[in-house]
Amino acid sequence: MSADLPIVLVGLPGAGKSKVGRLLARDLDVPHIDTDAMIVERTGRSIAEIFASEGEAIFRLLEARAVADALEREAVISLGGGAVVTEAVRDRLAGHTVVYIDATHDELLRRTGSRRHRPLLVQDPSAVLCRLREEREPYYRAVATLVVPSGPGPASDVAATILKHLELS
């Protein structure tokens, strides 16, 4: 493979970053790091609890630290959907292989609509996802070295597409 590690996956909530990340890491025989899971492990609290008790600003600080630590490893890294809103995170991603997994609005809604563990999507997921796309897509595209669409097909198809593109680069 010609892409350097780490490989970082970004995208909106429900884009499949964690699932695709696990598959990609397995295919490459490297660890998978989910920065949201790192934060939960480090704090002993869920993302929703951190948002509720300390707010988004504190969560973003914890997230930026987790991203910085993860980028030190040779791994596939799945970032939380909002990590790119933090300038320090965007700066740290420079020079790394960053894949933006771009799923349609309907697909994101299908994947996230019934789940309540996503604090930003608890009320009116459709409207929130529209707002998040409008706010975050410019950041995703700015940090991405590769954009890969994700539809209703299996996550393994997205992982295979990423592998194919990375092997050609």
Side-chain angles (χ1 to χ4, degrees), residues 24-94:
L24 196 56
R26 182 198 68 201
D27 291 345
L28 296 170
D29 196 28
V30 297
H32 173 249
I33 300 171
D34 183 307
T35 57
D36 281 351
M38 278 179 77
I39 294 165
V40 169
E41 184 178 317
R42 288 177 174 184
T43 65
R45 295 179 293 163
S46 72
I47 303 300
E49 289 170 332
I50 297 168
F51 264 76
S53 65
E54 299 186 48
E56 186 174 357
I58 296 299
F59 172 76
R60 297 293 174 211
L61 288 173
L62 295 169
E63 183 175 56
R65 287 186 200 128
V67 170
D69 292 346
L71 288 171
E72 297 297 318
R73 308 254 327 262
E74 291 194 355
V76 174
I77 304 166
S78 300
L79 299 192
V84 297
V85 303
T86 304
E87 185 175 4
V89 169
R90 294 192 307 273
D91 290 347
R92 286 190 184 279
L93 292 176

Side-chain angles (χ1 to χ4, degrees), residues 91-105:
D91 290 347
R92 286 190 184 279
L93 292 176
H96 291 286
T97 300
V98 180
V99 180
Y100 168 29
I101 301 176
D102 186 13
T104 66
H105 179 76

Side-chain angles (χ1 to χ4, degrees), residues 2 7 18 20-21 29 31 37 39 51 70 74 83 86 100 110-111 124 127 132 134 136 146 148-149 152:
S2 61
I7 297 169
S18 295
V20 170
D29 196 28
I39 294 165
F51 264 76
E74 291 194 355
T86 304
Y100 168 29
R110 184 186 70 76
R111 294 176 186 176
D124 197 357
L132 292 177
E134 184 177 316
R136 296 175 180 177
L146 174 65
V148 175

